[in-house]
Amino acid sequence: MLPGAFGALPAETQAHLLSAGRLGRWGRADLLFHPEDPAETLYVLTRGAVRLYRLGSGAREVTLDVHGPGALLGASALLGQPQEARPYGMYAEAMDDAEALLLGRASLGRLLQAHPAVGVALTEQMTQQTRGVQERLSGLVFLEVSQRLALALLGLAEREGPWPEDGSLALRDRVSHQDLAHLVGSTRETITKLLGDFRTRGLLDLGYRRIILTDRAGLQHAVREPLR
């Protein structure tokens, strides 16, 4: 079953969607596309996490967003005529082992004509992502880094499924301090310090690229109130 809004489609429609494209796989730090690549392909992320970023002054990487399963990447492939394909305008980097369904413009057009429900799912997914961007921008403005970090950790926990009864949840995906910095719009040094603070307060435990969340209620409180 496909993730995100596409998971609500009938099994037959999902099968047509899968047969219309091809699966691509990338390892950690691999690039799915470059800024100058023509946006001729829509990526439906089916596994892993992908970071979208641009290069700022001094070649500094500026993270635009981080997406998980179900997300659409390269949505500009949906716009304009084939001969007018614009570049993606950003880098898409796999933050861990990632997989995506690649749909070319022509294949996507035929699919939308034959299965209108796919267009509804595309619209729903884009709406969810737009809302996510708005929430991210709001967090950058109104929340302190410690609050954004607690919120990001709870978001990662949601991808793991129900919280265990014993009260601890280990994040299965490899998550580095730099990954978390990208997620919350901060620096690796700041995240390392805050993770140490969270650990001292009993909110989590740390291993090599492994985070075990130990206090869900405490993390929820950390979202509402910055660390003092």
Side-chain angles (χ1 to χ4, degrees), residues 40-203:
E40 299 173 337
T41 302
L42 177 70
Y43 294 70
V44 181
L45 192 58
T46 55
R47 182 168 63 91
V50 171
R51 176 174 71 105
L52 303 179
Y53 71 93
R54 290 177 178 154
L55 295 182
S57 60
R60 182 174 64 91
E61 295 180 2
V62 179
T63 299
L64 305 175
D65 211 341
V66 175
H67 291 296
L72 302 176
L73 309 175
S76 51
L78 300 171
L79 305 174
Q81 300 300 317
Q83 64 271 22
E84 300 173 351
R86 64 192 69 187
Y88 287 111
M90 64 189 73
Y91 293 93
E93 178 189 52
M95 296 181 68
D96 48 23
D97 292 339
E99 180 182 272
L101 176 67
L102 280 63
L103 295 164
R105 294 167 65 96
S107 298
L108 184 59
R110 290 192 295 269
L111 186 68
L112 292 173
Q113 286 187 339
H115 302 278
V118 173
V120 175
L122 283 171
T123 301
E124 181 180 343
Q125 184 62 43
M126 287 302 301
T127 300
Q128 292 177 8
Q129 290 180 213
T130 300
R131 187 182 304 119
V133 171
Q134 293 171 342
E135 291 174 353
R136 174 180 167 81
L137 291 174
S138 177
L140 289 172
V141 173
F142 297 111
L143 298 180
E144 295 191 12
V145 179
S146 65
Q147 294 173 286
R148 301 202 301 269
L149 177 58
L151 187 62
L153 291 171
L154 288 169
L156 291 172
E158 288 183 4
R159 291 169 52 180
E160 302 291 341
W163 201 286
E165 292 184 3
D166 65 6
S168 297
L169 186 148
L171 301 180
R172 287 172 293 182
D173 293 336
R174 296 177 300 169
V175 182
S176 70
H177 295 191
Q178 186 60 63
D179 292 336
L180 289 171
H182 290 319
L183 278 170
V184 305
S186 185
T187 65
R188 182 179 59 80
E189 293 77 13
T190 298
I191 295 302
T192 297
K193 180 182 182 303
L194 285 173
L195 286 173
D197 291 342
F198 279 19
R199 184 177 189 177
T200 299
R201 293 166 185 258
L203 303 181

